[in-house]
């Protein structure tokens, strides 16, 4: 496990993705890219006029370059995941646990030249660092984690109020939270959580801003407020999926 202190000053634990998951995820992505390039190339070769320079230029820009930028574009558009990472339930996050920025993802992508295509140097760093970070992760301030299974979270939180029949959410905009933010709440209000009252109050204030609650809103006890928000989030997201 790896301790991460969030911008809310709440210490949480994230599990870095292991080497096997990352390698298998990379293989899945490479297979997908290979199939894509083969299919696109086969289609274009049977396209009239492909032999001229113009059509070959179109092939480079419309087919090859997007494949080359696949990792960066996927992680940018799908919140730190490629198809391989989705299949292996891993995700790129910032070292503080927040969603990765475009700049961090691009720097991480550029460093693949050294990490992967130059003697797999990144593998050495993954094995040697506590958070299993390759050079690109260290440079960009990112890490790859095992993604929390939200369906299991619903089961583990079955004793919470949201599971009661006829439950009515207090904060309808709790659904605005991301799965990662909900996981931070879950860890913070867990019975064995070690977060101080000051940290809980700081997180409650942050959550209120994310949910765009009035600045003068009185939510009472901060721990109870976070528990209510988490219950509302779980209830609303469950309803949306059903």
């Amino acid at each position: 496990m790896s301790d991460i202190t969030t911008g809310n000053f709440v210490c949480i634990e994230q599990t870095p993705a292991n080497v096997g998951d990352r390698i298998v995820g990379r293989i899945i992505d490479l297979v997908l890219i290979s199939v894509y390039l083969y299919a696109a190339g086969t289609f274009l070769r049977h396209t009239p006029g492909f032999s001229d320079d113009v059509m070959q230029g179109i092939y480079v820009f419309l087919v090859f370059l997007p494949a080359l930028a696949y990792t960066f574009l996927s992680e940018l558009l799908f919140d730190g995941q490629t198809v391989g990472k989705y299949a292996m339930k891993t995700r790129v996050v910032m070292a503080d646990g927040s969603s990765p920025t475009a700049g961090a993802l691009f720097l991480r992508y550029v460093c693949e030249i050294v990490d992967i295509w130059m003697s797999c140097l990144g593998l050495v760093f993954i094995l040697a660092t506590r958070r299993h970070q390759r050079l690109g992760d260290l440079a960009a301030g990112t890490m790859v984690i095992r993604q929390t299974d939200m369906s299991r979270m619903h089961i583990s939180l079955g004793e919470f109020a949201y599971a009661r029949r006829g439950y009515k959410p207090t904060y309808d905009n709790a659904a605005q939270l991301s799965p990662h933010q909900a996981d931070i709440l879950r860890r913070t209000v867990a019975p064995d959580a070690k977060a101080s009252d000051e940290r809980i109050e700081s997180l409650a204030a942050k959550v209120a801003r994310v949910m765009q609650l009035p600045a003068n809103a009185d939510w009472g006890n901060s721990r109870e407020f976070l528990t209510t928000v988490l219950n509302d989030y779980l209830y609303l997201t469950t309803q949306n999926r059903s």
Side-chain angles (χ1 to χ4, degrees), residues 74-238:
S74 294
E75 292 176 350
L76 179 64
L77 296 174
F78 301 109
D79 195 22
Q81 284 189 304
T82 62
V83 172
K85 287 184 176 66
Y86 177 81
M88 301 308 298
K89 300 187 185 306
T90 61
R91 180 185 300 275
V92 178
V93 298
M94 300 302 293
D96 64 359
S98 61
S99 296
T101 64
L105 290 175
F106 182 74
L107 179 57
R108 186 176 185 275
Y109 164 74
V110 170
C111 289
E112 283 189 355
I113 299 173
V114 176
D115 280 332
I116 298 174
W117 309 117
M118 294 179 62
S119 304
C120 293
L121 184 61
L123 183 60
V124 176
F125 281 84
I126 291 175
L127 294 172
T129 55
R130 181 170 65 91
R131 292 180 174 177
H132 298 177
Q133 294 168 290
R134 60 178 176 85
L135 276 176
D137 290 317
L138 294 172
T142 58
M143 62 184 291
V144 180
I145 63 170
R146 295 178 64 94
Q147 184 174 320
T148 301
D149 188 338
M150 296 302 291
S151 64
R152 290 184 180 181
M153 183 186 297
H154 294 159
I155 295 174
S156 65
L157 294 177
E159 69 276 11
F160 276 71
Y162 89 95
R164 293 201 309 260
R165 184 183 299 274
Y167 178 82
K168 295 185 181 299
T170 303
Y171 304 101
D172 290 334
N173 48 358
Q176 296 176 4
L177 300 176
S178 69
H180 179 69
Q181 290 169 329
D183 189 43
I184 292 177
L185 297 189
R186 178 183 68 86
R187 293 172 184 272
T188 302
V189 301
D192 57 348
K194 299 179 181 179
S196 66
D197 291 341
E198 181 181 354
R199 291 175 177 175
I200 292 175
E201 290 175 2
S202 176
L203 177 59
K206 176 66 174 179
V207 169
R209 288 195 296 270
V210 171
M211 294 169 52
Q212 300 179 337
L213 297 182
N216 59 350
D218 180 14
W219 55 75
N221 181 279
S222 294
R223 181 181 291 274
E224 293 178 357
F225 167 69
L226 294 178
T227 300
T228 299
V229 171
L230 179 61
N231 289 333
D232 290 349
Y233 169 84
L234 294 172
Y235 175 82
L236 292 169
T237 53
T238 300

